């Protein structure tokens, strides 16, 4: 029987969200968006110290810009990779990767060369190649979601056909169907979100 994903927010305990600062994310916008959704008493901390993940109940990795730059910034945080993997895989803390923060979860990114990612998900991040040659790259603007994991806690309150804003030229390809949580159509299906258990 498939395991049900852990709920993102457990009201019975204090919520402490750690937002990892790897030097390539719009931290103000992420913090503001999360603050608008969290219950009273929750805390939000922008962290660069790996030890801060021990106190966190939830972890967010935002990323903006190029895959290689985000990975370089993340890898420069001493002990962060081991602390993150311990928190996510052993302690099962809910984790959210946003934008390039999600792309970093794959095996490789091919933006300005080939660069190693976390390898948490099968697949690689490649430049978009829409089947309709009139569609511009980057894919920029509002697009409708098609949900494939409607019961995943991170999609609570989100529905098929809801609009999400995109600005990207690269997307994950070769992702196993069971890991794809949401897609959009832009001259072909694009992986908009992946999910597995607490990730």
């Amino acid at each position: 029987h498939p395991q049900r994903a852990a709920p993102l927010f457990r009201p019975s305990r204090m919520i402490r969200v750690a937002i990892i600062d790897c030097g390539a994310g719009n931290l103000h916008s992420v913090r503001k968006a999360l603050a608008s959704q969290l219950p009273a008493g929750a805390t939000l901390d922008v962290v660069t110290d790996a030890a801060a993940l021990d106190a966190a109940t939830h972890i967010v990795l935002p990323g903006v810009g190029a895959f290689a730059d985000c990975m370089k910034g993340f890898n420069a945080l001493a002990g962060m990779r081991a602390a993150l993997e311990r928190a996510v895989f052993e302690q099962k803390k809910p984790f959210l990767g946003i934008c390039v923060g999600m792309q970093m979860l794959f095996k490789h990114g091919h933006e300005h060369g080939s660069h190693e990612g976390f390898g948490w998900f099968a697949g690689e991040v490649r430049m978009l190649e829409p089947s309709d040659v009139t569609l511009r790259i980057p894919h920029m603007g509002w697009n409708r979601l098609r949900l494939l994991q409607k019961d995943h806690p991170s999609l609570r309150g989100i529905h098929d056909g809801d609009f999400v804003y995109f600005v990207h030229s690269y997307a994950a390809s070769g992702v196993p169907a069971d890991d794809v949580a949401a897609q959009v159509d832009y001259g072909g299906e694009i992986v908009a979100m992946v999910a597995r258990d607490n990730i």
Side-chain angles (χ1 to χ4, degrees):
H1 298 289
Q3 291 182 337
R4 288 192 63 80
L8 286 184
F9 302 117
R10 296 180 178 132
S12 61
R13 62 184 175 133
M14 175 64 72
I15 295 170
R16 297 182 60 89
V17 180
I19 304 170
I20 299 173
D21 179 6
C22 58
N26 190 340
L27 301 177
H28 175 73
S29 293
V30 169
R31 188 177 185 134
K32 188 173 180 181
L34 290 172
S36 73
Q37 300 300 312
L38 291 171
T43 63
L44 286 164
D45 297 308
V46 175
V47 304
T48 56
D49 181 0
L53 299 190
D54 291 335
T57 60
H58 298 71
I59 301 168
V60 177
L61 177 62
V64 174
F67 185 102
D69 293 338
C70 290
M71 282 300 304
K72 182 178 180 181
F74 179 87
N75 289 332
L77 301 175
M80 187 62 80
R81 176 77 174 264
L84 180 60
E85 293 188 345
R86 181 172 61 252
V88 172
F89 293 111
E90 295 176 21
Q91 299 167 346
K92 303 294 183 185
K93 295 181 181 183
F95 170 87
L96 175 66
I98 302 172
C99 196
V100 183
M102 181 190 85
Q103 293 180 0
M104 291 163 64
L105 306 184
F106 295 95
K107 290 184 176 181
H108 292 94
H110 297 280
E111 186 173 5
H112 310 303
S114 181
H115 310 280
E116 188 175 339
F118 290 179
W120 294 2
F121 287 86
E124 300 190 339
V125 178
R126 297 186 174 277
M127 190 166 193
L128 295 173
E129 295 182 356
S131 59
D132 182 347
V133 295
T134 66
L135 294 175
R136 295 182 179 183
I137 303 297
H139 169 214
M140 184 164 60
W142 296 97
N143 204 333
R144 289 183 184 272
L145 287 177
R146 183 167 77 89
L147 306 185
L148 289 95
Q149 291 190 33
K150 296 178 183 179
D151 294 332
H152 196 275
S154 59
L155 288 170
R156 190 177 298 129
I158 299 173
H159 308 285
D160 264 325
D162 282 355
F163 282 93
V164 178
Y165 195 83
F166 289 84
V167 183
H168 66 124
S169 300
Y170 289 77
S173 62
V175 183
D178 288 349
D179 288 335
V180 179
Q183 296 176 326
V184 293
D185 182 7
Y186 193 71
E189 294 292 351
I190 296 173
V191 174
M193 177 181 174
V194 291
R196 186 195 308 132
D197 301 326
N198 54 309
I199 305 171

